[in-house]
Amino acid sequence: TTNVLRSNCRVTNQPDWGDVFIVTNGYKRVTAESLLKYIVSMRKENHFHEEICECIYKRLFTLMPNCDIVVTCLYTRRGGIDINPIRYNNFDFALEHFEGLMDWAVPNHKTERQ
């Protein structure tokens, strides 16, 4: 978990700040240091929120193909619309680890920063 996620809006080039939550389970691992470097590298990217979440997920899935992976990006609200993508390859694993963070029945649950 980190709150240093930042990317730039593809349309306005304004910075979008967010928190990223990543949970993995499997025999392969990435180091926290390399993962943080990758997340910070997103600051040079101009993509929509969903694309950033997908990029992180795909990179992890490429490195750890037989592992359970959940990535969610909770962005600071800008412009009145919440866009908080989540990407996973095992729903039960996602539900187990994000039960306290997300209310799956209520899609507009907010974090303190939002």
Short mmCIF file of all heavy atoms in Angstrom, two decimals, residues 94-104 109-110:
data_model
loop_
_atom_site.label_atom_id
_atom_site.label_comp_id
_atom_site.label_asym_id
_atom_site.label_seq_id
_atom_site.Cartn_x
_atom_site.Cartn_y
_atom_site.Cartn_z
N ALA A 94 -9.60 -11.41 -3.93
CA ALA A 94 -9.84 -9.97 -3.86
C ALA A 94 -10.82 -9.63 -2.74
O ALA A 94 -10.59 -8.72 -1.95
CB ALA A 94 -10.35 -9.45 -5.19
N LEU A 95 -11.89 -10.37 -2.68
CA LEU A 95 -12.91 -10.14 -1.65
C LEU A 95 -12.34 -10.33 -0.26
O LEU A 95 -12.59 -9.54 0.65
CB LEU A 95 -14.09 -11.09 -1.89
CG LEU A 95 -15.34 -10.86 -1.07
CD1 LEU A 95 -15.90 -9.47 -1.31
CD2 LEU A 95 -16.38 -11.91 -1.42
N GLU A 96 -11.53 -11.34 -0.09
CA GLU A 96 -10.92 -11.64 1.21
C GLU A 96 -10.02 -10.51 1.69
O GLU A 96 -10.04 -10.12 2.85
CB GLU A 96 -10.12 -12.94 1.10
CG GLU A 96 -9.33 -13.31 2.34
CD GLU A 96 -8.45 -14.52 2.11
OE1 GLU A 96 -8.67 -15.28 1.14
OE2 GLU A 96 -7.52 -14.70 2.91
N HIS A 97 -9.21 -9.96 0.79
CA HIS A 97 -8.21 -8.97 1.19
C HIS A 97 -8.70 -7.53 1.14
O HIS A 97 -8.05 -6.66 1.72
CB HIS A 97 -6.95 -9.14 0.34
CG HIS A 97 -6.22 -10.39 0.67
ND1 HIS A 97 -5.40 -10.50 1.76
CD2 HIS A 97 -6.24 -11.61 0.09
CE1 HIS A 97 -4.92 -11.71 1.84
NE2 HIS A 97 -5.40 -12.41 0.82
N PHE A 98 -9.77 -7.27 0.47
CA PHE A 98 -10.26 -5.90 0.35
C PHE A 98 -11.60 -5.70 1.04
O PHE A 98 -12.26 -4.70 0.83
CB PHE A 98 -10.34 -5.48 -1.11
CG PHE A 98 -8.98 -5.21 -1.69
CD1 PHE A 98 -8.23 -6.23 -2.25
CD2 PHE A 98 -8.44 -3.94 -1.65
CE1 PHE A 98 -6.98 -5.98 -2.77
CE2 PHE A 98 -7.19 -3.69 -2.16
CZ PHE A 98 -6.45 -4.71 -2.72
N GLU A 99 -11.98 -6.65 1.88
CA GLU A 99 -13.26 -6.56 2.57
C GLU A 99 -13.37 -5.28 3.39
O GLU A 99 -14.39 -4.63 3.39
CB GLU A 99 -13.45 -7.79 3.47
CG GLU A 99 -14.81 -7.85 4.11
CD GLU A 99 -15.01 -9.13 4.88
OE1 GLU A 99 -14.11 -9.99 4.90
OE2 GLU A 99 -16.07 -9.27 5.49
N GLY A 100 -12.31 -4.89 4.11
CA GLY A 100 -12.35 -3.68 4.92
C GLY A 100 -12.16 -2.40 4.12
O GLY A 100 -12.56 -1.33 4.55
N LEU A 101 -11.53 -2.50 2.99
CA LEU A 101 -11.25 -1.31 2.17
C LEU A 101 -12.43 -0.94 1.30
O LEU A 101 -12.73 0.23 1.12
CB LEU A 101 -10.02 -1.57 1.29
CG LEU A 101 -9.62 -0.46 0.34
CD1 LEU A 101 -9.15 0.76 1.12
CD2 LEU A 101 -8.54 -0.94 -0.60
N MET A 102 -13.08 -1.93 0.74
CA MET A 102 -14.16 -1.67 -0.20
C MET A 102 -15.42 -2.37 0.25
O MET A 102 -15.39 -3.49 0.74
CB MET A 102 -13.79 -2.19 -1.59
CG MET A 102 -12.55 -1.55 -2.16
SD MET A 102 -12.11 -2.24 -3.75
CE MET A 102 -13.29 -1.42 -4.79
N ASP A 103 -16.54 -1.69 0.10
CA ASP A 103 -17.83 -2.30 0.33
C ASP A 103 -18.37 -2.69 -1.03
O ASP A 103 -18.78 -1.85 -1.81
CB ASP A 103 -18.76 -1.32 1.03
CG ASP A 103 -20.10 -1.93 1.40
OD1 ASP A 103 -20.41 -3.05 0.92
OD2 ASP A 103 -20.84 -1.30 2.15
N TRP A 104 -18.32 -3.97 -1.34
CA TRP A 104 -18.67 -4.45 -2.67
C TRP A 104 -20.13 -4.21 -3.02
O TRP A 104 -20.50 -4.20 -4.18
CB TRP A 104 -18.32 -5.94 -2.79
CG TRP A 104 -16.86 -6.17 -2.65
CD1 TRP A 104 -16.15 -6.25 -1.48
CD2 TRP A 104 -15.90 -6.28 -3.69
NE1 TRP A 104 -14.82 -6.42 -1.74
CE2 TRP A 104 -14.64 -6.46 -3.07
CE3 TRP A 104 -15.98 -6.27 -5.08
CZ2 TRP A 104 -13.47 -6.61 -3.81
CZ3 TRP A 104 -14.81 -6.44 -5.80
CH2 TRP A 104 -13.58 -6.59 -5.17
N HIS A 109 -18.01 3.99 -1.85
CA HIS A 109 -17.30 4.10 -0.57
C HIS A 109 -16.06 4.97 -0.76
O HIS A 109 -15.33 4.82 -1.72
CB HIS A 109 -16.93 2.69 -0.10
CG HIS A 109 -16.22 2.69 1.22
ND1 HIS A 109 -16.87 2.97 2.40
CD2 HIS A 109 -14.94 2.44 1.54
CE1 HIS A 109 -16.00 2.88 3.39
NE2 HIS A 109 -14.82 2.57 2.89
N LYS A 110 -15.80 5.90 0.15
CA LYS A 110 -14.70 6.85 0.01
C LYS A 110 -13.58 6.57 1.02
O LYS A 110 -13.82 6.07 2.10
CB LYS A 110 -15.19 8.27 0.27
CG LYS A 110 -16.37 8.69 -0.57
CD LYS A 110 -15.93 9.14 -1.92
CE LYS A 110 -17.06 9.74 -2.69
NZ LYS A 110 -17.80 8.82 -3.47
#
